[in-house]
Amino acid sequence: MNRNSELLRDAEKLLCVKSNDVDVILKEHKVSQKQLQDIIDLIQDWYDKQPHLPKNGLEDRIIVQLLISSKFRIEKVKDKIDAAISAKHKMPEFLLNRDPLSPNISEYLIDGFFAILPKLSQDNHRVSIFRLKSPREFVMNDVIKLAFMMLEYRRYNDVHFGDQYIHDLSNIRFSNTVQMTPPVITKMMYYLRFCTGAKIKGIHFINMPTFVVPIVALVKKLLKPKIAARIYIHSKPEDIAKMYPKNILPKEYGGDDYSIDEIAENWTTTLQSDAWRQYYRDQEKVVSDESKRTRVLSCDEFFGCEGSFRKLEFD
């Protein structure tokens, strides 16, 4: 089995991805397999002609995932590809030196900081839960690094119509939140908005302590009204069980098929596999040479200056 096959091997277990999922989406968008291949070839040809982008650094399946999340808008996909590669210069603390076996990353994986639910919601949205098992300290940069590593796995394998995020803050400490500085939040939002193609369909906070309220209020101000309206604050965990089918939720939130510990174990095994460790190492070399850039990244005007916010808007 070659390494590309190894990278795909656990997708059905982690994300319930099936071989015909892309075909279903192509049919919905009225795109044939031939049209899809023509678009892929067009984007690969464009990529090869960009002097600042590394050669042999773009796989067809990444193009397909970005096309799906961008509703087959070709220019938008080009921008996301360029922005994702150049982002390594802007936020190396999140996008470089990514070893799934490094102490913090391994610990956060095993503890299940991020539980990405295997089954999609009734609207074909991918639901992810952030939570701490118990009050503890952690390194925010490494938590974000892990989140982006998991997003990269999903960019390689996942097929869905949008993202919903649940943040269970019952064990969050004030000392955790002070690490969420304006530059950190700005970089996170830049990466989500311009590099990954994430479509935010819902952000849910449960068990939110009062010291988090100002952070959420600030984040709302940085979003388009239609996205800010998708932020919900719940007073009790039981509210989550009312929003999603029981069969997609982990046992900790009213489901009965699997626990967060089981989800975490599966993700740990996959991301710490030889194939995925090598993939992250290989991506260290996929960096742009900004001295050779001939095209302007329009999203750079939203990045802002270190220590200041810009108004970043999500589609």
Side-chain angles (χ1 to χ4, degrees):
M1 185 180 291
N2 62 36
R3 187 168 70 85
N4 282 354
S5 298
E6 288 285 343
L7 295 175
L8 304 173
R9 186 181 62 182
D10 295 330
E12 185 171 356
K13 176 173 62 177
L14 297 181
L15 303 169
C16 293
V17 172
K18 298 179 177 58
S19 58
N20 68 336
D21 284 348
V22 171
D23 294 333
V24 172
I25 290 179
L26 291 179
K27 184 176 180 180
E28 179 168 320
H29 287 278
K30 297 180 173 57
V31 177
S32 69
Q33 285 287 351
K34 182 182 184 308
Q35 288 172 320
L36 176 63
Q37 189 58 55
D38 288 344
I39 295 171
I40 292 172
D41 292 343
L42 185 153
I43 292 174
Q44 287 284 17
D45 182 63
W46 162 84
Y47 183 92
D48 289 340
K49 292 176 180 177
Q50 303 307 307
H52 66 291
L53 295 178
K55 302 309 172 190
N56 303 316
L58 184 61
E59 295 190 47
D60 285 357
R61 67 179 303 104
I62 300 297
I63 297 175
V64 172
Q65 301 298 337
L66 289 172
L67 282 168
I68 290 171
S69 66
S70 301
K71 298 181 180 179
F72 293 86
R73 287 175 284 184
I74 294 172
E75 293 306 312
K76 194 165 188 177
V77 170
K78 292 178 182 178
D79 286 342
K80 289 184 186 299
I81 291 166
D82 195 352
I85 294 174
S86 69
K88 293 172 185 176
H89 297 292
K90 297 179 173 72
M91 51 191 84
E93 68 272 32
F94 303 146
L95 299 175
L96 297 179
N97 301 312
R98 302 179 301 170
D99 183 358
L101 285 176
S102 65
N104 283 350
I105 299 299
S106 182
E107 181 182 344
Y108 303 159
L109 261 174
I110 293 167
D111 280 358
F113 273 37
F114 298 100
I116 298 172
L117 305 191
K119 297 177 183 178
L120 295 173
S121 75
Q122 60 269 44
D123 298 315
N124 286 318
H125 296 161
R126 181 65 63 194
V127 181
S128 304
I129 301 175
F130 168 78
R131 68 40 154 160
L132 304 178
K133 280 185 178 180
S134 58
R136 55 164 297 169
E137 297 300 324
F138 55 80
V139 178
M140 182 62 72
N141 281 3
D142 286 342
V143 171
I144 295 168
K145 180 181 290 190
L146 173 59
F148 288 174
M149 289 168 70
M150 297 175 85
L151 274 173
E152 196 154 337
Y153 178 91
R154 289 180 52 207
R155 187 178 67 164
Y156 200 91
N157 285 299
D158 207 358
V159 181
H160 60 90
F161 291 141
D163 281 285
Q164 296 207 34
Y165 301 100
I166 299 169
H167 300 270
D168 184 348
L169 304 181
S170 54
N171 290 316
I172 286 290
R173 295 171 169 174
F174 178 77
S175 58
N176 303 141
T177 64
V178 297
Q179 297 183 66
M180 292 295 289
T181 63
V184 167
I185 295 175
T186 300
K187 290 176 181 180
M188 284 177 55
M189 297 176 74
Y190 177 90
Y191 189 75
L192 288 171
R193 166 62 180 89
F194 297 110
C195 303
T196 69
K199 296 294 181 184
I200 299 177
K201 300 299 184 179
I203 303 173
H204 304 271
F205 292 94
I206 58 176
N207 299 316
M208 190 169 73
T210 56
F211 56 77
V212 177
V213 172
I215 296 175
V216 175
L218 182 55
V219 169
K220 280 187 174 183
K221 291 180 180 178
L222 300 174
L223 300 174
K224 282 183 177 180
K226 70 175 183 178
I227 303 299
R230 296 172 189 167
I231 296 178
Y232 306 93
I233 298 173
H234 305 273
S235 58
K236 52 188 182 298
E238 291 77 13
D239 291 345
I240 299 302
K242 299 175 184 176
M243 294 167 39
Y244 303 102
K246 187 176 182 179
N247 70 312
I248 82 164
L249 290 171
K251 293 175 182 177
E252 292 85 348
Y253 295 89
D256 49 21
D257 284 351
Y258 39 71
S259 68
I260 287 180
D261 283 343
E262 290 169 323
I263 294 171
E265 182 180 354
N266 290 335
W267 273 90
T268 301
T269 299
T270 298
L271 293 195
Q272 292 184 342
S273 67
D274 291 342
W276 272 97
R277 288 190 75 200
Q278 186 60 49
Y279 179 84
Y280 292 124
R281 281 194 291 264
D282 291 344
Q283 291 304 302
E284 302 276 318
K285 307 167 190 173
V286 182
V287 293
S288 59
D289 183 346
E290 294 301 312
S291 68
K292 296 180 180 178
R293 176 177 291 279
T294 58
R295 74 190 300 266
V296 176
L297 266 176
S298 60
C299 56
D300 274 351
E301 67 182 86
F302 294 99
F303 193 79
C305 304
E306 193 74 8
S308 66
F309 280 111
R310 292 276 186 153
K311 186 175 183 180
L312 305 184
E313 297 183 333
F314 290 76
D315 280 346

